[in-house]
């Protein structure tokens, strides 16, 4: 049975960003332990965190969807 999806909050994005930056600082610019990051963000798995970082953020900045005017 899968968990219901929920939106990421600004607080979760901020925590994710801090934790990823901390790991990158000690691992020569890469993240090796998504489990330790997920443990610090309640209710998120290592896969949730990895996908959010790679698909929802660019260079640590949150992607912003631009909508074309109708």
């Amino acid at each position: 049975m899968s968990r219901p999806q929920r939106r990421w909050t600004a607080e979760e994005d901020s925590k994710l960003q801090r934790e990823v930056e901390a790991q990158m600082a000690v691992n020569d610019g890469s993240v090796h332990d998504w489990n330790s990051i997920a443990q610090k963000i309640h209710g998120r798995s290592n896969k949730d965190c990895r996908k959010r970082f790679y698909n929802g953020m660019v260079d640590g900045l949150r992607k912003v969807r631009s909508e074309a005017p109708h």
Side-chain angles (χ1 to χ4, degrees):
M1 183 177 243
S2 64
R3 295 179 291 127
Q5 288 186 341
R6 62 182 175 87
R7 292 188 183 271
W8 281 75
T9 65
E11 181 181 346
E12 288 174 320
D13 278 343
S14 180
K15 279 184 185 180
L16 178 61
Q17 182 63 40
R18 282 193 308 269
E19 295 302 322
V20 167
E21 286 176 355
Q23 278 207 18
M24 286 181 158
V26 296
N27 292 322
D28 298 322
S30 62
V31 178
H32 296 288
D33 191 1
W34 289 101
N35 286 319
S36 68
I37 292 173
Q39 288 175 352
K40 296 175 183 174
I41 304 174
H42 179 72
R44 299 295 184 177
S45 70
N46 61 329
K47 185 176 180 180
D48 292 335
C49 293
R50 188 180 69 247
K51 286 174 63 176
R52 176 63 176 174
F53 182 74
Y54 286 117
N55 296 331
M57 300 177 148
V58 174
D59 295 331
L61 299 174
R62 192 173 173 158
K63 283 186 182 177
V64 177
R65 276 196 244 169
S66 60
E67 295 185 16
H70 297 304

